[in-house]
Amino acid sequence: NAIVVTDCLPPGFEYVTDSTYGGGGIGSYSPGTCWWTLTGLGVNATVYLTITAVSTNIGTFTNTATVALPPGYTDPNLTNNSASVTVVVTQPAVDLLVTKTVSTNSIKLLQPFNFYVTVTNIGPVAVSNVFLSDLLPAGLSESYWVGYGGINQAFNPTNGVWSITNIPPGQGFSLSIGAFGTALGTFTNLAQLTSSMPADTNAANNAASAAITILPWQADLAVTKTVSPSVMNTNGQVQFTITVQNNGPDTATNIVV
């Protein structure tokens, strides 16, 4: 008959491995039954079982071990036949830093420019399933996008969702969005973190914005006209000369006089 110690991992932990050592019959542990079975234990002998597990949930958990003697034995002190420990599992510190810049502060209507977005993992753990939102406001149109930092990313310009599979600690990804203005005015483009696994624990640096002003094309067109001669007889020939001059500041096209 064997001595059996029962030790079941609490919900929120997954078994990885175990090891036993010490004097006497150290036995073996079965994670399926939670039993550590000892073939025998001499007087004053000590054996040890180490269970390695991985936490899967946040919270406070209690792990209890209870020993049972085989039939034919009595234990004169049942108060020390069970022992428990408590472990607190907390959310790991996750900190994704989002920055945003623009290639120029102002530009003419329909001229190309770029927004640049960067997300950097400044926390101590890897972060996966990272999603950011960066949708251009009305009045700006996207022409192309390019991602930097790795191939495990994608950007959907229709809904502005930028997804990244995994960001190791100390590393980051960048997104360049090529755009042009279709309306006049000042437009602000916002990039913000929407979700990650684990969740970000510092919301203060999860969003950034950049503004650009779309300006009109301007051209001061001056028209002058001369006639020669200015006095003439009937049936005489006259010549009218029209002059158009662009005083700037921009080049003008498709001019109709």
Side-chain angles (χ1 to χ4, degrees), residues 14-56:
E14 290 184 357
Y15 171 87
V16 176
T17 188
D18 69 84
S19 61
T20 55
Y21 61 97
I26 59 176
S28 61
Y29 176 73
S30 171
T33 62
C34 306
W35 290 351
W36 177 23
T37 305
L38 304 171
T39 57
L41 192 62
V43 177
N44 295 323
T46 302
V47 290
Y48 302 89
L49 166 66
T50 300
I51 302 174
T52 302
V54 174
S55 61
T56 58

Side-chain angles (χ1 to χ4, degrees), residues 80-161:
N80 61 2
N81 287 21
S82 182
S84 299
V85 292
T86 299
V87 60
V88 178
V89 181
T90 60
Q91 172 71 50
V94 176
D95 196 359
L96 295 174
L97 171 65
V98 178
T99 61
K100 183 74 177 277
T101 58
V102 64
S103 58
T104 182
N105 293 326
S106 62
I107 200 167
K108 300 293 185 178
L109 188 72
L110 301 178
Q111 290 293 99
F113 63 91
N114 289 83
F115 284 118
Y116 302 103
V117 191
T118 299
V119 56
T120 305
N121 183 359
I122 60 177
V125 298
V127 184
S128 61
N129 298 325
V130 179
F131 290 90
L132 297 96
S133 174
D134 192 328
L135 186 62
L136 294 181
L140 302 181
S141 292
E142 180 265 348
S143 54
Y144 69 92
W145 68 273
V146 179
Y148 303 93
I151 61 174
N152 57 339
Q153 62 176 306
F155 178 67
N156 185 341
T158 301
N159 57 19
V161 173

Side-chain angles (χ1 to χ4, degrees), residues 25 77 105 168 239:
N77 181 13
N105 293 326
Q239 185 177 61

